[in-house]
Amino acid sequence: MADDSRSRAKESFGSYAAIGDSFTEGVGDPGPDGRFVGWADRLAVLLDDRLPEHTFRYANLAVRGRLLDQIVEEQVPRARELAPDLVTFCAGGNDIIRPGSDPDDVAERFERAVAELAASVGTVMVTTGFDTRGVPVLRHLRGKIATYTAHVRAIADRYDCPVLDLWSLRSVQDRRAWDGDRLHLSPEGHTRVALRAAQVLGLDVPADPDQPWPPLPPRGSLEVRRDNIQWAREHLVPWIGRRLRGESSGDHVEPKRPDLLPL
């Protein structure tokens, strides 16, 4: 099995580059400067804390809306050029949710990119999909996501990659882990993913990412229906509109940290 245990040998990563789409860019986790923060930035802080001040360097090349082939074309060569000690590679999710997509085909292309990265950088950590059984927008795609997740784990085995296994992270199945659009994590959701990623890399973390959430009061059917209508109006309809127009939320968006720089 891929080494995604919490007992992975501890390493000091002096540099880290994150590549991917909106999940890795941090959409749903706004920062005070107007840019998104997200789990990758939060993981970078945890890695930075282990090293002398100003010695750790971090780049985040991820851009929202990117498909796998776009990530491979735009971000993978830059990550190879930077040659950091650690790369996190999460891609393919936007492909999987598109009608007619084939998770087997997406996985083949993902593996070619992993092979390129593994030959150029220190450690490549790959990321599985979430278990979407409780996500209204994505629950009907659970089978495709599970198939792709199985491929990602097999690829990780072949290239000795640590695995950030989001499928098994039960705490993000709570609706409070998700932003109002139901497609991206909330700040707390991103925090829990960052803590799990740090655990996979063998770091001691300040909190348990799977710590149970406080109980919620029961919700009536009328409240649930009202929330669903509001969500459809504010998020689903615009998302469908962009798809019909061939637009992406990442059009004209540049990576927020294109170079390896100290935090």
Side-chain angles (χ1 to χ4, degrees):
M1 293 295 292
D3 187 2
D4 57 344
S5 72
R6 301 179 195 182
S7 60
R8 187 176 178 87
K10 295 184 179 181
E11 302 176 54
S12 291
F13 297 102
S15 54
Y16 164 37
I19 60 179
D21 52 30
S22 59
F23 170 61
T24 302
E25 184 187 350
V27 174
D29 186 9
D33 61 356
R35 294 193 304 177
F36 292 111
V37 182
W39 70 271
D41 288 18
R42 296 178 183 276
L43 173 61
V45 171
L46 294 172
L47 293 169
D48 179 61
D49 286 345
R50 294 168 52 89
L51 296 176
E53 192 173 6
H54 304 310
T55 59
F56 177 77
R57 296 173 300 136
Y58 169 56
N60 190 317
L61 309 176
V63 176
R64 70 200 74 166
R66 290 298 193 262
L67 299 169
L68 173 60
D69 288 346
Q70 293 173 311
I71 293 169
V72 171
E73 179 182 353
E74 301 167 3
Q75 299 175 33
V76 169
R78 179 57 177 160
R80 295 180 65 192
E81 179 184 3
L82 294 172
D85 297 332
L86 172 68
V87 165
T88 55
F89 183 25
C90 180
N94 287 328
D95 299 75
I96 294 300
I97 66 175
R98 292 203 163 200
S101 62
D102 180 355
D104 300 331
D105 172 67
V106 177
E108 288 180 6
R109 291 181 279 129
F110 181 83
E111 181 166 5
R112 289 195 291 269
V114 169
E116 289 184 23
L117 286 167
S120 306
V121 306
T123 296
V124 181
M125 181 162 70
V126 297
T127 306
T128 74
F130 293 96
D131 184 350
T132 59
R133 60 184 167 183
V135 183
V137 192
L138 301 176
R139 63 165 60 110
H140 69 288
L141 297 173
R142 190 179 184 222
K144 287 176 65 175
I145 295 169
T147 299
Y148 186 60
T149 286
H151 279 303
V152 168
R153 294 194 66 93
I155 292 164
D157 287 343
R158 290 193 283 273
Y159 294 91
D160 193 27
C161 299
V163 179
L164 174 53
D165 184 1
L166 301 174
W167 189 277
S168 68
L169 187 58
R170 293 171 304 220
S171 62
V172 296
Q173 293 170 13
D174 189 287
R175 63 184 176 88
R176 286 167 289 184
W178 294 85
D179 188 43
D181 65 4
R182 305 184 185 181
L183 289 171
H184 301 100
L185 293 176
S186 66
E188 179 64 20
H190 277 285
T191 297
R192 289 176 182 248
V193 169
L195 291 169
R196 174 54 58 85
Q199 284 182 331
V200 171
L201 296 174
L203 277 64
D204 296 324
V205 296
D208 180 5
D210 248 340
Q211 180 178 350
W213 295 78
L216 278 174
R219 304 172 74 218
S221 59
L222 182 60
E223 182 182 3
V224 172
R225 182 171 181 272
R226 185 177 63 245
D227 287 349
N228 287 340
I229 292 172
Q230 182 179 355
W231 164 78
R233 182 186 304 117
E234 295 182 1
H235 301 288
L236 179 60
V237 171
W239 183 82
I240 293 173
R242 287 196 300 271
R243 290 294 176 272
L244 293 175
R245 295 191 298 272
E247 298 174 357
S248 167
S249 59
D251 290 346
H252 314 299
V253 176
E254 298 293 330
K256 61 182 180 182
R257 289 182 65 95
D259 300 303
L260 286 174
L261 297 172
L263 293 179

